[in-house]
Amino acid sequence: MHTRRKLPQVEPRNNNINACVCSKWEEVSIMDEKNIPIRTYQVCNVLEPNQNNWLRTDWIPRSGAQRVYVEVKFTLRDCNSLPGVTGTCKETFNLYYHESNEDRESYIKESSFIKVDTVAADESFTQVDVGDRIMKLNTEVRDVKVTTRKGFYLAFQDVGACIALVSVRVFYKTCPLTIRNLATFPDTVTGADTSSLVEVRGSCVNQSEEREEPKMYCGADGEWLVPIGGCLCSPGYEEKGSACKSCTAGFYKAKSSDPGCSKCPPHSHSLRDAATVCDCHSGYFRSDADPPSMACTQPPSAPQQLISVVNETSVVLEWTPPRRLGGRSDTSYSLECLICQTLCLPCGSDVLFSPSQTGLKTTKVVVSELRAHTHYTFIVHARNGVSLASGAGATQSVSVSVTTNQAAPSPVSFVQATDVTRHSLSLSWQQPDRPNGVILEYEVKFYEKDQKERSYRIMRTFSQSVDVTGLSPLTVYVFHVRARTAAGYGEFSAPFEFSTNSGIHALTFCTVFIISRRSKYSKTKQDSEEEKHLNPGVKIYVDPFTYEDPDQAIHDFAKEIDVSSIHIEKVIGMGEFGEVCSGRLRVQGKREIYVAIKSLKAGYSDKQRRDFLSEASIMGQFDHPNIIRLEGVVTRCKPLMIITEYMENGSLDSFLRKHDGQFTVIQLVGMLRGIASGMKYLSDMNYVHRDLAARNILVNSNLVCKVSDFGLSRVLEDDPEAAYTTRIPIRWTAPEAITYRKFTTSSDVWSYGIVMWEVVSYGERPYWDMNNQDVMKAVEEGYRLPAPMDCPVVLHQLMLDCWERERAERPTFSQILNMLDKLIRNPGTLRRTVHDRLLSAVTLLFPCVRRPTGSMLESGLGPEVCVSVVPEVCVPERSMCEWLQSIGLERYRDTLAAAGYTSLDSLLGITHQ
Ligand code: ACK
């Protein structure tokens, strides 16, 4: 759609169109077809040749137009209808123009005009038409480019026609004002050429903004061509018609590119028009990252069901997501770690959180590198995108307090050698970075580099240095050091290599013998365990708890048995972790054997699994006829099982009780010998049993006794309170092990003495029904179990030796074994019992003595007469005391006194009955 702009209309009037002075144009009034008078310019000099009549308009301002259109309405007389005009009559006229800035040019030369066109009539009229008053009006339009001056003149040249100019209309074209794509395009004058396009930039309508520069081309014919770019209604406004109208209350528009106003999302509202965002209802929030189209949300409630599992110095924390997530899905958790003594302070940066401490998407974190045996509080915070939003308040959290366990020390990281000679060197090292408790001792393992680890030596020391002797000259040794706390051994250090010196300069030897006879057993130093392992190739027990992965230990030391090869027959008892059954095991290629099957009851914890399997990891390292043999384990299916050889007679204590008095002394000593042999093997392996008791010895059909039950060693170490709980076998345990947990082979020797007593007394309970406190007190004060009935003197003496207060004074298992072997070889030595000795002594002096009975029972020291009492200073009944001392039976002084025998005279009443 285009518009035609009129230039000042050129009516054929004298005041604005003028004929030249010589011109024959005349202004004439005529009637049109409807009989309305109109003014015209006419010329009709058809009879005269060479006509040149000019009619010129006034100056027409261009008004910005570049191409003007001239519409001429005229009538023209048909030459043929005029008689006698042949040759002179014309039926056309010429249209000229002349551009000029001058609006009042009075005379313009003909030659200054430029011809636009020769205009011919479509229709001409005749005399008839005139008579009929038919006006054959022609309309011709011509366009002309006018670009150089402010205005122009038009001129009509008649060259001999009969014309009447009825009207001349001069106009230009514009593309009209329009709105397209929310951009306003102004009324635009078309271009100068018929083919030219005028590029027009639109301007965005009110409350809108440019999406892309709005442009449109205005064609020469006044028509707009396809619009380019456009505008979008601003935020808060939407397009209606060709305008932008504001969003009403309850609606919003956030971005100009949004299609229109939208209803406020849940938990939000807009009270005013033109809202670009809806405000959240009270208690609801929107994070910076939330789009305005998202519902307003809330922070999450606290995480739930926080549980902690402590594993040495690591804690696994697990929780369930908050009950209310606040309408969001971006809940994350962060962990606060506090170390709590009197005050709770933030944990140090050395604590590790896996996968991380903050920004957690999972509900489980493993916190490691904590201090051993320390109280910690962990707070788990739940957050989401609006937790920090203004006014959202503090995050919701849940907390748990835990105490870490004891843990093995970290590895020793630095070892150095000084004072290196050809046969020795001094090794020193630094305490581990994380001792995780009091370091009880260090273990040094070393071997000749060439030997690799085929044979090695072990030394133990309480200090951070040790003198290593007995080395070969000019030899490279590899050293590893590890520390031990109550929680066990840490890992060995990395290897440190040191070489001994050459022997060339070592010409002088100085040997010093220090002979110190500490006791009859002190020739072998009980604690100098280094000496035990000087022999290359001696196998050393490996504590499975030093393995980071307990399953690795079990695979290193125990064979996995296919459950299908086990045939369970019956339940034979209840163990600490579950039922014990008997059954048969048939391994391919081997004969079927009877086995005992210990199983781990369902619902066990990780720790219980570890403790249960640790027994197999320990047992699997042993291979001795007096140690219960491990056949294998079942760990790949449930229940977990430990399969051992079957011992037909079950545990020794109940077996002896069942067969009270039925064995010869030699048979009993044979049993004791077996146990001593098993214990010697264990001590050679550096294994401390800690729970040696008749109930933990199993007996097979050949009366062979085997040491079993390797579960306690760890239990005691794990439980710092063990000494004060019922778990510690007080009656069997050496005083130093009870009081300061000094468990050694020497404390096992003490327990062995108790086992001897149990064996000889056919399963009697040590210290009978005395309570543990009284037992500890009595032992501390020097009381020792008396010889059981018919106890060979030598055996009771051996028991007493095992119960020496000073552990270094106790015999070694090797010595015990030698002694028992000697006794077996010389059974005569076993004949003399403690009672015989007492009675014979009394009888020697007093031929008719009476044996004390009832009064002993009443004394509360036991049912038997052979109560052993550590000698004290004999004061009141000197002669009696001296006499007992002289016959080596001074320990019976109190027993005799309690029974009323305080003087030698009173002994005269004792008889054999
Ligand atoms: O005294 P018992 O018959 O001997 O009852 C206990 C019970 O299982 C719980 O420990 C018996 N027991 C344990 N290991 C074996 C085994 N290897 N052979 C036979 N009986 C066993 C033990």
Side-chain angles (χ1 to χ4, degrees), residues 180-182 204 208-214 228-233 256-257:
R180 298 283 175 85
N181 294 346
L182 292 176
C204 292
S208 74
E209 52 200 48
E210 242 176 47
R211 167 169 55 86
E212 191 191 330
E213 186 182 29
I228 299 165
C231 304
L232 295 169
C233 286
S256 52
S257 56

PDB file of all heavy atoms in Angstrom, residues 180-182 204 208-214 228-233 256-257:
ATOM      1  N   ARG A 180       5.641  -3.014  11.985  1.00  0.00           N
ATOM      2  CA  ARG A 180       5.888  -4.422  11.656  1.00  0.00           C
ATOM      3  C   ARG A 180       6.825  -4.986  12.707  1.00  0.00           C
ATOM      4  O   ARG A 180       7.839  -4.355  13.038  1.00  0.00           O
ATOM      5  CB  ARG A 180       6.572  -4.571  10.301  1.00  0.00           C
ATOM      6  CG  ARG A 180       5.796  -4.080   9.144  1.00  0.00           C
ATOM      7  CD  ARG A 180       4.687  -5.069   8.737  1.00  0.00           C
ATOM      8  NE  ARG A 180       3.882  -4.494   7.688  1.00  0.00           N
ATOM      9  CZ  ARG A 180       4.194  -4.554   6.400  1.00  0.00           C
ATOM     10  NH1 ARG A 180       5.273  -5.186   6.030  1.00  0.00           N
ATOM     11  NH2 ARG A 180       3.417  -4.005   5.498  1.00  0.00           N
ATOM     12  N   ASN A 181       6.504  -6.196  13.208  1.00  0.00           N
ATOM     13  CA  ASN A 181       7.342  -6.871  14.224  1.00  0.00           C
ATOM     14  C   ASN A 181       7.668  -5.932  15.385  1.00  0.00           C
ATOM     15  O   ASN A 181       8.788  -5.875  15.881  1.00  0.00           O
ATOM     16  CB  ASN A 181       8.644  -7.391  13.625  1.00  0.00           C
ATOM     17  CG  ASN A 181       8.403  -8.487  12.622  1.00  0.00           C
ATOM     18  OD1 ASN A 181       7.288  -9.039  12.568  1.00  0.00           O
ATOM     19  ND2 ASN A 181       9.403  -8.800  11.814  1.00  0.00           N
ATOM     20  N   LEU A 182       6.673  -5.246  15.828  1.00  0.00           N
ATOM     21  CA  LEU A 182       6.762  -4.309  16.947  1.00  0.00           C
ATOM     22  C   LEU A 182       7.739  -3.159  16.698  1.00  0.00           C
ATOM     23  O   LEU A 182       8.194  -2.527  17.645  1.00  0.00           O
ATOM     24  CB  LEU A 182       7.123  -5.035  18.253  1.00  0.00           C
ATOM     25  CG  LEU A 182       6.048  -5.977  18.800  1.00  0.00           C
ATOM     26  CD1 LEU A 182       6.560  -6.698  20.041  1.00  0.00           C
ATOM     27  CD2 LEU A 182       4.770  -5.218  19.141  1.00  0.00           C
ATOM     28  N   CYS A 204      11.621   0.621  17.867  1.00  0.00           N
ATOM     29  CA  CYS A 204      10.764  -0.268  18.656  1.00  0.00           C
ATOM     30  C   CYS A 204       9.608   0.508  19.263  1.00  0.00           C
ATOM     31  O   CYS A 204       9.779   1.657  19.696  1.00  0.00           O
ATOM     32  CB  CYS A 204      11.586  -0.921  19.760  1.00  0.00           C
ATOM     33  SG  CYS A 204      12.796  -2.059  19.086  1.00  0.00           S
ATOM     34  N   SER A 208       9.109  -1.952  24.360  1.00  0.00           N
ATOM     35  CA  SER A 208       9.697  -3.085  23.647  1.00  0.00           C
ATOM     36  C   SER A 208      11.167  -2.790  23.408  1.00  0.00           C
ATOM     37  O   SER A 208      11.616  -1.657  23.587  1.00  0.00           O
ATOM     38  CB  SER A 208       8.971  -3.336  22.324  1.00  0.00           C
ATOM     39  OG  SER A 208       9.324  -2.346  21.391  1.00  0.00           O
ATOM     40  N   GLU A 209      11.879  -3.823  23.081  1.00  0.00           N
ATOM     41  CA  GLU A 209      13.313  -3.664  22.859  1.00  0.00           C
ATOM     42  C   GLU A 209      13.723  -4.467  21.631  1.00  0.00           C
ATOM     43  O   GLU A 209      13.036  -5.427  21.259  1.00  0.00           O
ATOM     44  CB  GLU A 209      14.103  -4.077  24.100  1.00  0.00           C
ATOM     45  CG  GLU A 209      13.749  -5.440  24.614  1.00  0.00           C
ATOM     46  CD  GLU A 209      14.162  -5.637  26.074  1.00  0.00           C
ATOM     47  OE1 GLU A 209      13.883  -4.758  26.926  1.00  0.00           O
ATOM     48  OE2 GLU A 209      14.745  -6.688  26.352  1.00  0.00           O
ATOM     49  N   GLU A 210      14.812  -4.014  21.049  1.00  0.00           N
ATOM     50  CA  GLU A 210      15.238  -4.606  19.785  1.00  0.00           C
ATOM     51  C   GLU A 210      15.619  -6.066  19.948  1.00  0.00           C
ATOM     52  O   GLU A 210      16.390  -6.405  20.835  1.00  0.00           O
ATOM     53  CB  GLU A 210      16.458  -3.846  19.262  1.00  0.00           C
ATOM     54  CG  GLU A 210      16.199  -3.188  17.955  1.00  0.00           C
ATOM     55  CD  GLU A 210      17.382  -2.357  17.500  1.00  0.00           C
ATOM     56  OE1 GLU A 210      18.515  -2.867  17.568  1.00  0.00           O
ATOM     57  OE2 GLU A 210      17.158  -1.205  17.094  1.00  0.00           O
ATOM     58  N   ARG A 211      15.070  -6.905  19.148  1.00  0.00           N
ATOM     59  CA  ARG A 211      15.520  -8.300  19.098  1.00  0.00           C
ATOM     60  C   ARG A 211      16.663  -8.383  18.108  1.00  0.00           C
ATOM     61  O   ARG A 211      17.714  -8.932  18.390  1.00  0.00           O
ATOM     62  CB  ARG A 211      14.353  -9.190  18.663  1.00  0.00           C
ATOM     63  CG  ARG A 211      14.728 -10.597  18.268  1.00  0.00           C
ATOM     64  CD  ARG A 211      13.495 -11.465  18.121  1.00  0.00           C
ATOM     65  NE  ARG A 211      12.526 -10.891  17.196  1.00  0.00           N
ATOM     66  CZ  ARG A 211      12.534 -11.055  15.870  1.00  0.00           C
ATOM     67  NH1 ARG A 211      13.468 -11.773  15.292  1.00  0.00           N
ATOM     68  NH2 ARG A 211      11.622 -10.513  15.106  1.00  0.00           N
ATOM     69  N   GLU A 212      16.383  -7.755  16.934  1.00  0.00           N
ATOM     70  CA  GLU A 212      17.390  -7.662  15.900  1.00  0.00           C
ATOM     71  C   GLU A 212      17.036  -6.381  15.163  1.00  0.00           C
ATOM     72  O   GLU A 212      15.847  -6.086  14.976  1.00  0.00           O
ATOM     73  CB  GLU A 212      17.251  -8.870  14.948  1.00  0.00           C
ATOM     74  CG  GLU A 212      18.383  -9.024  13.985  1.00  0.00           C
ATOM     75  CD  GLU A 212      18.036 -10.054  12.912  1.00  0.00           C
ATOM     76  OE1 GLU A 212      17.275 -10.990  13.180  1.00  0.00           O
ATOM     77  OE2 GLU A 212      18.515  -9.871  11.781  1.00  0.00           O
ATOM     78  N   GLU A 213      18.026  -5.621  14.754  1.00  0.00           N
ATOM     79  CA  GLU A 213      17.760  -4.316  14.154  1.00  0.00           C
ATOM     80  C   GLU A 213      16.588  -4.396  13.156  1.00  0.00           C
ATOM     81  O   GLU A 213      16.649  -5.141  12.171  1.00  0.00           O
ATOM     82  CB  GLU A 213      19.001  -3.845  13.391  1.00  0.00           C
ATOM     83  CG  GLU A 213      18.834  -2.433  12.880  1.00  0.00           C
ATOM     84  CD  GLU A 213      20.042  -1.995  12.075  1.00  0.00           C
ATOM     85  OE1 GLU A 213      20.715  -2.855  11.465  1.00  0.00           O
ATOM     86  OE2 GLU A 213      20.311  -0.780  12.049  1.00  0.00           O
ATOM     87  N   PRO A 214      15.510  -3.654  13.457  1.00  0.00           N
ATOM     88  CA  PRO A 214      14.362  -3.742  12.553  1.00  0.00           C
ATOM     89  C   PRO A 214      14.613  -2.902  11.292  1.00  0.00           C
ATOM     90  O   PRO A 214      14.967  -1.733  11.380  1.00  0.00           O
ATOM     91  CB  PRO A 214      13.210  -3.180  13.386  1.00  0.00           C
ATOM     92  CG  PRO A 214      13.834  -2.424  14.502  1.00  0.00           C
ATOM     93  CD  PRO A 214      15.273  -2.788  14.618  1.00  0.00           C
ATOM     94  N   ILE A 228      12.703  -6.993   8.106  1.00  0.00           N
ATOM     95  CA  ILE A 228      13.836  -7.772   8.643  1.00  0.00           C
ATOM     96  C   ILE A 228      13.982  -7.363  10.100  1.00  0.00           C
ATOM     97  O   ILE A 228      13.804  -6.185  10.425  1.00  0.00           O
ATOM     98  CB  ILE A 228      15.139  -7.441   7.873  1.00  0.00           C
ATOM     99  CG1 ILE A 228      14.951  -7.814   6.399  1.00  0.00           C
ATOM    100  CG2 ILE A 228      16.340  -8.144   8.471  1.00  0.00           C
ATOM    101  CD1 ILE A 228      15.995  -7.224   5.499  1.00  0.00           C
ATOM    102  N   GLY A 229      14.368  -8.355  10.984  1.00  0.00           N
ATOM    103  CA  GLY A 229      14.572  -8.041  12.411  1.00  0.00           C
ATOM    104  C   GLY A 229      13.268  -7.658  13.056  1.00  0.00           C
ATOM    105  O   GLY A 229      12.185  -7.988  12.564  1.00  0.00           O
ATOM    106  N   GLY A 230      13.356  -7.002  14.177  1.00  0.00           N
ATOM    107  CA  GLY A 230      12.150  -6.604  14.865  1.00  0.00           C
ATOM    108  C   GLY A 230      12.405  -6.405  16.344  1.00  0.00           C
ATOM    109  O   GLY A 230      13.547  -6.433  16.806  1.00  0.00           O
ATOM    110  N   CYS A 231      11.334  -6.227  17.081  1.00  0.00           N
ATOM    111  CA  CYS A 231      11.455  -5.937  18.514  1.00  0.00           C
ATOM    112  C   CYS A 231      10.636  -6.941  19.310  1.00  0.00           C
ATOM    113  O   CYS A 231       9.797  -7.651  18.763  1.00  0.00           O
ATOM    114  CB  CYS A 231      10.953  -4.530  18.799  1.00  0.00           C
ATOM    115  SG  CYS A 231      11.815  -3.311  17.802  1.00  0.00           S
ATOM    116  N   LEU A 232      10.935  -6.990  20.630  1.00  0.00           N
ATOM    117  CA  LEU A 232      10.211  -7.871  21.543  1.00  0.00           C
ATOM    118  C   LEU A 232       9.708  -7.035  22.697  1.00  0.00           C
ATOM    119  O   LEU A 232      10.395  -6.087  23.122  1.00  0.00           O
ATOM    120  CB  LEU A 232      11.151  -8.949  22.095  1.00  0.00           C
ATOM    121  CG  LEU A 232      11.710  -9.948  21.093  1.00  0.00           C
ATOM    122  CD1 LEU A 232      12.824 -10.753  21.741  1.00  0.00           C
ATOM    123  CD2 LEU A 232      10.602 -10.872  20.611  1.00  0.00           C
ATOM    124  N   CYS A 233       8.569  -7.410  23.236  1.00  0.00           N
ATOM    125  CA  CYS A 233       8.055  -6.652  24.378  1.00  0.00           C
ATOM    126  C   CYS A 233       9.011  -6.815  25.550  1.00  0.00           C
ATOM    127  O   CYS A 233       9.521  -7.917  25.814  1.00  0.00           O
ATOM    128  CB  CYS A 233       6.664  -7.150  24.768  1.00  0.00           C
ATOM    129  SG  CYS A 233       5.426  -6.611  23.581  1.00  0.00           S
ATOM    130  N   SER A 256      12.345 -10.585  27.747  1.00  0.00           N
ATOM    131  CA  SER A 256      11.656 -10.077  26.561  1.00  0.00           C
ATOM    132  C   SER A 256      11.375 -11.217  25.593  1.00  0.00           C
ATOM    133  O   SER A 256      10.379 -11.216  24.882  1.00  0.00           O
ATOM    134  CB  SER A 256      12.487  -8.989  25.892  1.00  0.00           C
ATOM    135  OG  SER A 256      13.791  -9.465  25.669  1.00  0.00           O
ATOM    136  N   SER A 257      12.259 -12.247  25.607  1.00  0.00           N
ATOM    137  CA  SER A 257      12.068 -13.346  24.651  1.00  0.00           C
ATOM    138  C   SER A 257      10.960 -14.316  25.078  1.00  0.00           C
ATOM    139  O   SER A 257      10.581 -15.184  24.302  1.00  0.00           O
ATOM    140  CB  SER A 257      13.385 -14.103  24.481  1.00  0.00           C
ATOM    141  OG  SER A 257      13.818 -14.538  25.744  1.00  0.00           O
TER     142      SER A 257
END
